[in-house]
Amino acid sequence: DAAGVDYMEIGYRASEKLFPPGEFGSWRFTKDDAVAEMIGDVKTDMKLGVMVDIGRVEPEDFAYKKDSPLNFVRVATYLKDINKAIELAKFIEERGYESFINIMAISTVDSYELKEGLARVEAECNVTAVTVVDSYGSLYPDQVKHLVGVFSENLKKKRTGIHCHNNLQLGFANTIEAVHAGARFCDATIQGIGRGAGNCPIELIISYLKNPRYNLEPVLRVMQDHFVKLATEIEWGYILPYMVTGILNEHPRVAIALRGSKRKDHYADFYRELTTPECFDKQ
């Protein structure tokens, strides 16, 4: 809030009955009472929200906006499920929340089908923005520019967002390119923290925008007070296995699995296995 951030996605919202007890922490479900307890008496203009996945949330998981500390909900979807995403976004809007749609794995999408999906979003719901999501961290700036252009051309009443992963160390560069191409919502995280290779670092995008409404020092304070220690406890950011999945346009789950194994630093073997499956070493 002190940094001037406009929107903060603070966790997922999912139905507890769809997951085994104890498999995830509380921010996989991000219940309203937990958010209210976290906020306490703090007054903020920053909008707070959650992410939901298609098929992992139930209608009863959302109170009406007047009874919730949340302001917005982002619907994460693959293009093949865009109709389900639209219906979920419409339900969220009926409950009084601001809604967004994130189209994941955009680097795997057919252009014709993308335009069809965007046309449906434009016509059938009132989302604030639709986000280009480079889930695999495989896009280059020219591709980002093209995709933001496609989104903007097909979304006359909605804005375009950008969500980059840093597999190729291009999360920040791609976010800048998206801004220049017309994106109005930029996803970023403190010190780039995120799944696998992580995301565009918020400290970089705040510094780049040079907008007096944003303040870098509070972000650096959080990094100084908390992230120095956190970075010794968990791993995120650019490392070679995530680079490999990025250049091959592969889901990072295989790199995440490698990093959790005894072969975590077998980079060349990992690359060979992904590019030559018949040579896969089952050990």
Side-chain angles (χ1 to χ4, degrees):
D1 177 67
V5 172
D6 305 276
Y7 290 76
M8 181 181 180
E9 178 193 302
I10 56 176
Y12 274 91
R13 172 66 59 86
S15 177
E16 284 188 308
K17 66 184 181 182
L18 299 178
F19 295 90
E23 182 178 356
F24 293 101
S26 59
W27 300 106
R28 186 67 176 87
F29 310 101
T30 315
K31 292 187 174 181
D32 285 347
D33 55 356
V35 177
E37 181 180 357
M38 179 187 68
I39 298 170
D41 297 327
V42 174
K43 303 299 181 184
T44 174
D45 293 325
M46 182 172 60
K47 295 181 178 181
L48 301 177
V50 293
M51 174 78 81
V52 297
D53 287 317
I54 299 296
R56 294 182 176 178
V57 68
E58 302 288 348
E60 59 266 26
D61 293 320
F62 286 96
Y64 283 94
K65 168 64 188 74
K66 63 181 179 63
D67 300 317
S68 171
L70 299 178
N71 305 101
F72 70 93
V73 178
R74 303 212 297 175
V75 179
T77 184
Y78 294 105
L79 186 62
K80 66 182 180 64
D81 292 323
I82 197 66
N83 290 335
K84 295 178 181 178
I86 290 169
E87 290 305 308
L88 183 51
K90 289 164 66 175
F91 168 77
I92 288 164
E93 292 157 14
E94 290 167 0
R95 289 282 161 131
Y97 300 94
E98 188 175 357
S99 67
F100 296 77
I101 288 178
N102 282 21
I103 301 181
M104 301 185 293
I106 199 70
S107 58
T108 67
V109 166
D110 173 82
S111 295
Y112 179 78
E113 293 177 352
L114 174 59
K115 292 177 182 179
E116 279 195 333
L118 293 174
R120 293 193 193 104
V121 174
E122 176 76 353
E124 298 175 26
C125 63
N126 296 314
V127 296
T128 297
V130 187
T131 299
V132 177
V133 182
D134 183 16
S135 302
Y136 301 168
S138 63
L139 294 179
Y140 292 90
D142 58 333
Q143 295 170 300
V144 169
K145 180 180 180 179
H146 169 72
L147 285 166
V148 171
V150 171
F151 274 57
S152 300
E153 289 168 9
N154 290 275
L155 297 169
K156 304 300 184 183
K157 300 176 183 177
K158 281 85 174 171
R159 285 172 281 183
T160 298
I162 184 68
H163 179 108
C164 296
H165 283 264
N166 207 33
N167 298 62
L168 305 181
Q169 294 204 29
L170 289 172
F172 178 45
N174 284 343
T175 301
I176 292 175
E177 189 67 35
V179 170
H180 283 290
R184 291 294 172 262
F185 282 85
C186 303
D187 290 358
T189 61
I190 293 176
Q191 207 165 317
I193 192 171
R195 182 197 66 192
N199 301 92
C200 173
I202 198 169
E203 60 273 16
L204 292 180
I205 196 66
I206 284 178
S207 303
Y208 170 77
L209 292 173
K210 294 181 173 60
N211 187 322
R213 69 184 295 174
Y214 302 121
N215 183 6
L216 177 61
E217 185 177 342
V219 176
L220 296 177
R221 179 69 57 184
V222 171
M223 294 165 69
Q224 174 180 311
D225 293 348
H226 301 283
F227 274 60
V228 172
K229 182 174 185 294
L230 187 63
T232 67
E233 299 172 350
I234 60 176
E235 179 180 88
W236 76 89
Y238 172 84
I239 53 174
L240 290 176
Y242 300 127
M243 181 274 287
V244 169
T245 58
I247 62 174
L248 296 178
N249 200 20
E250 292 277 353
H251 195 289
R253 66 170 66 93
V254 289
I256 293 171
L258 177 73
R259 295 301 291 173
S261 74
K262 294 180 180 179
R263 303 170 61 246
K264 59 184 295 184
D265 295 318
H266 289 204
Y267 309 133
D269 295 341
F270 179 64
Y271 178 75
R272 186 183 70 251
E273 289 161 7
L274 290 184
T275 55
T276 316
E278 62 270 23
C279 294
F280 183 76
D281 182 354
K282 294 183 179 180
Q283 296 181 353

